[in-house]
Amino acid sequence: MIAELGQYALIMALLAAIAQSVLPLIGAEKLDSRLMAFGNHASMIQLLFLVMAFGCLTQAYIVSDFTLLNVVENSHSTKPLLYKISGVWGNHEGSMLLWVLILAIFGAAVAAFGRNLPVTLKARVLAIQAMIGVGFLTFLIFTSNPFTRLLVPPENGQDLNPLLQDPGLAFHPPMLYVGYVGFSVAFSFAIAALIEGKVDAAWARWVRPWTLTAWIFLTGGIALGSWWAYYELGWGGWWFWDPVENVSFMPWLMGTALLHSAIVVEKRNSLKVWTILLAILTFSLSLIGTFIVRSGLLTSVHAFAVNPERGIFILFLLAIAIGGSLTLFALRAPALKAGGIFSPISREGGLLLNNLLLSTACATVFLGTLYPLFMEALGGGRVSIGPPFYNKTFIPVMVPLFLLVCIGAHLPWKRADLLGVFKRLKYAGLGSLLALLLAWYISNGGPLLAILGLGMAAWLLLGTLSEWADRVKLFRVPLGKSWQRAKNLPGSTWGMTLAHGGLAIAIAGMISTTAWKVEDVAVLKPGETISVAGTDYRFDGVKEVTGPNYTAVEGTFNVSQNGVYMATLKPEKRLYTVKRMPTTEAAIYSTFIGDYYAVIGDSDGSGGWTVRIYREPLVTWIWFGCGLMVFGGILSLADRRLRVGAPADKRKKQKIKEAQA
């Protein structure tokens, strides 16, 4: 009965989405307030039915209802409750249901918090959001139904992929989906603006909080995924330029460009056409990522290899959404009025250069991701594109961007004195040089590119702090006044400082662990010791342990340095009883300067065990920096000026009353 209720809710959500995609558009065209207001009600109805459908599927997983094919294929009665719940989206059908649920949440949020939006713009935005929902709800109901019943249910299920039975991967997909789907709101605003033929500072202010929300979640989702790969897969790495990693990274790059471009539209009424295009391309990349992952083109723990019909259906949706929006852009964009004029050396110019570099970097990732797929589809055989390609194409584009970020933050609007900017950055330059020399001394002079990279990260961090210090007039006025100025800084300013500073810290971690990581593999017997990067790892043997749905071999390592005890590491090699699939559980001791990382492998049959030991310098800086970026985004989002639907102040309300009188 619960499954049938969920099926019914999906159908009703589709009907609500169809009505929402048509009636508000008609109302906006005819200026019919009742039809335009219908979009608000329909978005809430659609959300209600999708919450009901998602709740029904979740309940089926929790009680292990094996009359549902989806539950059979992705769950088991002995699985811990957390992974029963995460199993809801750990498969194709359930994850698509979560996708459309998040889409409906964003649509309802626009309806609820967009009270200050012009009624025609709001009606069109809600209608376009609903059109996206119609496409994916149709796909879900007719090709990927999560409520398909089995005539003869089995006694138990086939369990979830063991690699997905991890806290990191339980929360990683929902965060990514919020990021992917969140950019749909910017897309809907862009299409609505093209229909109306109007883009102005108010439009940019309405778009920015939705884009920022999506960017925050996508940043957190990517960081969480890289952390999971680092501690779960046992290879000591955090990023491999895997195609499925790339499809989340591309909309992040383009979304970052969109955030900065919208600032120019809001502050200077410039780059309007470019910002509209970025909004379309950012969500288009999210859709392309959905197609790549769902079409069966890739085989990955992240991907769901499905039948060709699903891939063709998504490709059809892709063609309508991307092709239609770009066609509309080509027809309507020339009619948009150009904005203000600015000098190349200005904040506008700096943000435009930021956009161009980010877009070029995204293009290199796009080419590297899709080229092997195109070659294989055209009969050219399998082509592998990995880190060497991106090291030669992506990194050279990003280096000037990182060097220019803190310069751009010091530039005034419209016209700037570049010499004056460099004078304000002289202490940041000196500090960066000292950091570079320190890195040279600690690393004994190499590798040179890594040392230069750390100097670049120091430049970005110190330049960012220098810009903040200029705002509060640090050391130029009494500290009490500087403190007062700091407290009065808007949330968006604090957010920018933390985001740019977090990026610098993350870059330092990425460079350090890539350049100076030390790895050793050995076969050890109990009591033997291996020394890696000046640290001793004494292998004390193994023991068997039993989990709720797995058995494991747990190794024990006593870690010491110069005879001084540091930590005990207990890595595991698990075997899940249903899937009969082994997984690696690395043991990690983290410090400020780096991680001590141990992995237990297979027995050699004569008392010895294969072990892998890694020394990972500054690797935790990656996730600490990403955390600062997320926190900076949250502070920016908390800025009252960026809240859609923020109430007008008392003076404005009084003026409105006087005008009405």
Side-chain angles (χ1 to χ4, degrees), residues 595-649:
D595 281 6
Y596 303 85
Y597 186 110
V599 177
I600 188 76
D602 297 322
S603 170
D604 68 352
S606 59
W609 291 82
T610 302
V611 301
R612 294 198 305 278
I613 306 296
Y614 299 90
R615 181 73 173 100
E616 302 271 3
L618 304 187
V619 68
T620 53
W621 288 29
I622 298 174
W623 300 292
F624 177 70
C626 290
L628 282 180
M629 292 167 68
V630 169
F631 185 57
I634 293 172
L635 283 181
S636 294
L637 194 62
D639 192 324
R640 184 181 180 277
R641 298 175 302 171
L642 294 186
R643 288 186 224 152
V644 172
D649 58 33

Side-chain angles (χ1 to χ4, degrees), residues 13 176 289 341 380 560 594:
L176 280 185
I341 299 174
S560 61

Side-chain angles (χ1 to χ4, degrees), residues 69-411:
L69 176 62
N70 186 259
V71 179
V72 171
E73 292 178 340
N74 300 283
S75 191
H76 193 273
S77 59
T78 61
K79 193 168 62 172
L81 179 60
L82 173 62
Y83 304 128
K84 286 184 178 181
I85 295 173
S86 65
V88 175
W89 55 80
N91 61 88
H92 171 77
E93 294 82 1
S95 64
M96 289 309 302
L97 178 56
L98 179 62
W99 207 100
V100 294
L101 172 62
I102 294 171
L103 183 69
I105 290 173
F106 272 100
V110 172
F113 300 112
R115 293 184 296 272
N116 287 355
L117 288 170
V119 289
T120 54
L121 178 65
K122 183 179 180 182
R124 290 184 170 113
V125 168
L126 291 176
I128 294 159
Q129 280 287 114
M131 289 180 186
I132 301 169
V134 168
F136 280 95
L137 278 167
T138 304
F139 172 73
L140 183 65
I141 292 171
F142 292 103
T143 73
S144 309
N145 196 328
F147 295 107
T148 301
R149 287 281 195 185
L150 288 174
L151 293 177
V152 183
E155 292 184 4
N156 222 318
Q158 300 171 13
D159 206 4
L160 181 67
N161 185 334
L163 287 175
L164 303 180
Q165 296 187 42
D166 179 87
L169 227 15
F171 300 105
H172 162 67
M175 292 184 72
L176 280 185
Y177 292 166
V178 174
Y180 285 149
V181 180
F183 287 125
S184 68
V185 181
F187 173 85
S188 297
F189 269 96
I191 301 302
L194 288 174
I195 294 173
E196 294 198 342
K198 181 181 178 182
V199 178
D200 54 16
W203 177 89
R205 180 167 290 190
W206 292 319
V207 166
R208 280 181 64 197
W210 303 106
T211 305
L212 185 57
T213 299
W215 182 88
I216 290 169
F217 278 95
L218 192 56
T219 303
I222 292 172
L224 188 58
S226 70
W227 183 48
W228 168 83
Y230 171 71
Y231 72 76
E232 174 68 21
L233 299 182
W235 58 293
W238 51 274
W239 191 265
F240 193 66
W241 294 107
D242 177 89
V244 182
E245 293 174 332
N246 293 349
V247 297
S248 64
F249 191 42
M250 289 188 290
W252 185 88
L253 290 168
M254 201 63 77
T256 303
L258 173 60
L259 272 178
H260 290 83
S261 182
I263 294 173
V264 182
V265 179
E266 180 186 351
K267 300 293 185 182
R268 297 291 303 158
N269 203 31
S270 297
L271 304 184
K272 294 187 288 188
V273 174
W274 172 247
T275 304
I276 290 286
L277 180 59
L278 283 178
I280 293 173
L281 293 179
T282 301
F283 184 58
S284 296
L285 287 171
S286 295
L287 293 177
I288 290 172
T290 301
F291 168 69
I292 290 175
V293 174
R294 309 288 163 179
S295 63
L297 289 175
L298 301 174
T299 301
S300 164
V301 65
H302 310 79
F304 302 105
V306 296
N307 60 58
E309 290 181 1
R310 292 175 176 174
I312 292 172
F313 197 113
I314 295 180
L315 187 60
F316 178 69
L317 292 178
L318 207 68
I320 294 176
I322 299 177
S325 60
L326 290 177
T327 300
L328 180 64
F329 175 81
L331 294 174
R332 301 301 298 267
L336 296 176
K337 293 181 180 180
I341 299 174
F342 54 87
S343 167
I345 307 300
S346 62
R347 179 164 292 194
E348 296 98 318
L351 290 172
L352 178 58
L353 182 57
N354 158 292
N355 273 216
L356 293 175
L357 290 172
L358 282 169
S359 300
T360 303
C362 183
T364 66
V365 179
F366 185 85
L367 177 63
T369 303
L370 295 188
Y371 179 76
L373 302 178
F374 287 140
M375 285 295 295
E376 187 175 353
L378 296 174
R382 287 185 175 272
V383 178
S384 177
I385 291 183
F389 168 81
Y390 297 101
N391 291 341
K392 294 178 180 178
T393 57
F394 178 81
I395 293 178
V397 175
M398 296 302 287
V399 166
L401 174 65
F402 296 143
L403 292 175
L404 292 170
V405 164
C406 55
I407 296 176
H410 282 79
L411 295 172

